[in-house]
Amino acid sequence: MPRLSLVLALAAVLLPAAAAPAVSPTARSSAPAFNGGVYAIAHRGATTYVGGTFTTATVNGRTFPRERLAAFDSRTGKLLDWSPRADGVVRALAATADSVYAAGDFRAVDGEPRDSLARIHPTSGAVRSFRHNLSGTPYALATGNGRLYLGGSFTRVTGEQRGNLAAFSLATGKLDARWRPVADDTVHALAVTGPRVFLGGGFHFVGAVKGTLRLASVNGVSGAVDPAFRPRVPAEVRAIALDPTGVHVATAGRGGRAIAYSWTGALRWQRVFDGDAAAIATTGGVTYVGGHFDNACLTERNGVKGGCVDGSRPRLKLAAVTAQGQLTSWGPKANGVIGVRVLSVNRVAGTIEAGGDFTTVDGRDRRRFAAF
């Protein structure tokens, strides 16, 4: 084991769990419940938008039709009238001041033909002008630099060749002819800060550049690979979160991992779980992790099937880690096999939001969405 990894492993065993972060482990009862999985979360002011596989939302015992897209007031939990109907799974969302962008397996929204991508009015829910054809499956959306960035598993966008990555002008909706980095396999996650766009997934190379295995940084305007960012990621990246200290990722593989890197890609810390880590979010110096796991390992070692080798602490689908890589005592218990698919920081409501396939948190009814 490398010296740095050994130090981190020993620290995990010898140091006690840190005090619980400011976010309460108790899920609020005011959020809507859904009858199918929540795959995506986006925010615009106090409004939380969700997408997934669901067809109804339930609030205060009343059930309303919501076909794979819904919105509610994140402070009160009130379900909003916003209810465009997608005819297939919504896998990703991104919100701007004047639009909500959705990506997924759908072919129409509110009866309007939309092949995997749609632009929707943020208050009326009307489907807006923005129409492209996609040869494959989209998994991630992000905005920045006047662009909407798209990641997934696809080869063409509106007849133009693209390698699992594409960008569109937020002003015109047109496919960006300049931004065209190529990933050689699926892109599952995107995150933007300033001129940098971070990509995570199952790819081996971006632009045939060495050192871009599973996680890379590219310029948000030119698409050029950042030569200064060279992380070493042990498994497929499923989610990315950024904070002032650097880049945080959730990985799948033989046991999931939450890993923190500096802005140059140097390893800062990592935590290992006994199942995939599928979601990650950071705020206030704490990193929140969600996934399919039931335990957090005390060291970086795990077995062939991902089980912890050197002991563990129970963490049912949710966990939190300090800026030094210590496991905190924050551990709400979500149920289900798949567990948590997405985590998001809601700065207006002051909450961490979780979506997925769980139906209870700490034994209470929290069907597919919870806010802490």
Side-chain angles (χ1 to χ4, degrees):
M1 181 182 293
R3 184 177 180 182
L4 177 58
S5 297
L6 179 60
V7 171
L8 289 171
L10 289 174
V13 174
L14 298 175
L15 294 177
V23 173
S24 168
T26 303
R28 289 183 176 181
S29 60
S30 58
F34 299 91
N35 72 335
V38 171
Y39 286 34
I41 299 173
H43 304 109
R44 177 181 172 270
T47 301
T48 294
Y49 300 91
V50 295
T53 64
F54 55 84
T55 55
T56 65
T58 301
V59 180
N60 297 326
R62 294 185 61 191
T63 298
F64 304 85
R66 290 294 185 272
E67 295 187 26
R68 303 171 187 90
L69 288 163
F72 56 93
D73 187 314
S74 60
R75 298 163 299 186
T76 65
K78 179 184 178 182
L79 190 68
L80 302 180
D81 292 337
W82 192 86
S83 56
R85 303 180 308 276
D87 67 353
V89 181
V90 174
R91 298 184 178 278
L93 292 171
T96 64
D98 66 354
S99 299
V100 175
Y101 293 89
D105 299 342
F106 51 83
R107 292 295 174 265
V109 177
D110 268 356
E112 296 286 340
R114 291 295 185 272
D115 183 6
S116 306
L117 294 168
R119 177 179 175 231
I120 304 164
H121 193 282
T123 56
S124 72
V127 180
R128 310 186 73 178
S129 60
F130 178 74
R131 187 172 176 180
H132 295 275
N133 298 318
L134 193 72
S135 62
T137 303
Y139 289 111
L141 291 171
T143 60
N145 305 298
R147 292 166 172 82
L148 173 72
Y149 298 99
L150 173 70
S153 177
F154 53 86
T155 56
R156 289 185 177 274
V157 178
T158 315
E160 297 291 330
Q161 189 171 355
R162 291 294 187 274
N164 304 308
L165 290 161
F168 308 87
S169 168
L170 289 175
T172 67
K174 292 182 178 180
L175 181 66
D176 190 325
R178 183 180 179 188
W179 197 84
R180 48 191 311 167
V182 175
D184 69 348
D185 208 334
T186 304
V187 175
H188 284 292
L190 296 169
V192 181
T193 179
R196 303 178 75 177
V197 179
F198 291 88
L199 328 168
F203 50 82
H204 302 86
F205 298 100
V206 176
V209 177
K210 291 183 178 180
T212 54
L213 176 67
R214 305 185 182 107
L215 181 63
S217 170
V218 302
N219 184 276
V221 177
S222 69
V225 175
D226 180 359
F229 185 69
R230 288 293 181 270
R232 294 184 177 180
V233 187
E236 184 175 70
V237 172
R238 293 300 180 89
I240 303 173
L242 309 176
D243 74 3
T245 65
V247 183
H248 302 71
V249 300
T251 76
R254 193 184 71 181
R257 293 171 188 253
I259 311 175
Y261 298 97
S262 72
W263 294 112
T264 62
L267 177 67
R268 294 179 51 241
W269 56 258
Q270 65 176 313
R271 297 296 318 192
V272 176
F273 301 88
D274 67 350
D276 290 352
I280 198 161
T282 65
T283 186
V286 178
T287 299
Y288 296 87
V289 189
H292 313 166
F293 51 83
D294 294 323
N295 295 281
C297 302
L298 296 183
T299 71
E300 295 174 13
R301 298 200 310 146
N302 54 10
V304 175
K305 296 184 178 181
C308 302
V309 173
D310 300 314
S312 64
R313 292 193 180 103
R315 289 296 184 273
L316 296 175
K317 321 304 181 193
L318 289 161
V321 183
T322 71
Q324 293 73 43
Q326 291 176 254
L327 190 69
T328 79
S329 57
W330 188 86
K333 302 176 182 65
N335 70 340
V337 176
I338 299 299
V340 174
R341 290 181 181 270
V342 59
L343 289 172
S344 184
V345 178
N346 188 324
R347 302 195 185 282
V348 173
T351 57
I352 298 295
E353 296 173 341
D357 293 273
F358 54 87
T359 57
T360 65
V361 176
D362 290 331
R364 298 179 179 179
D365 183 7
R366 298 292 183 268
R367 282 168 285 161
R368 287 98 186 181
F369 183 91
F372 302 93

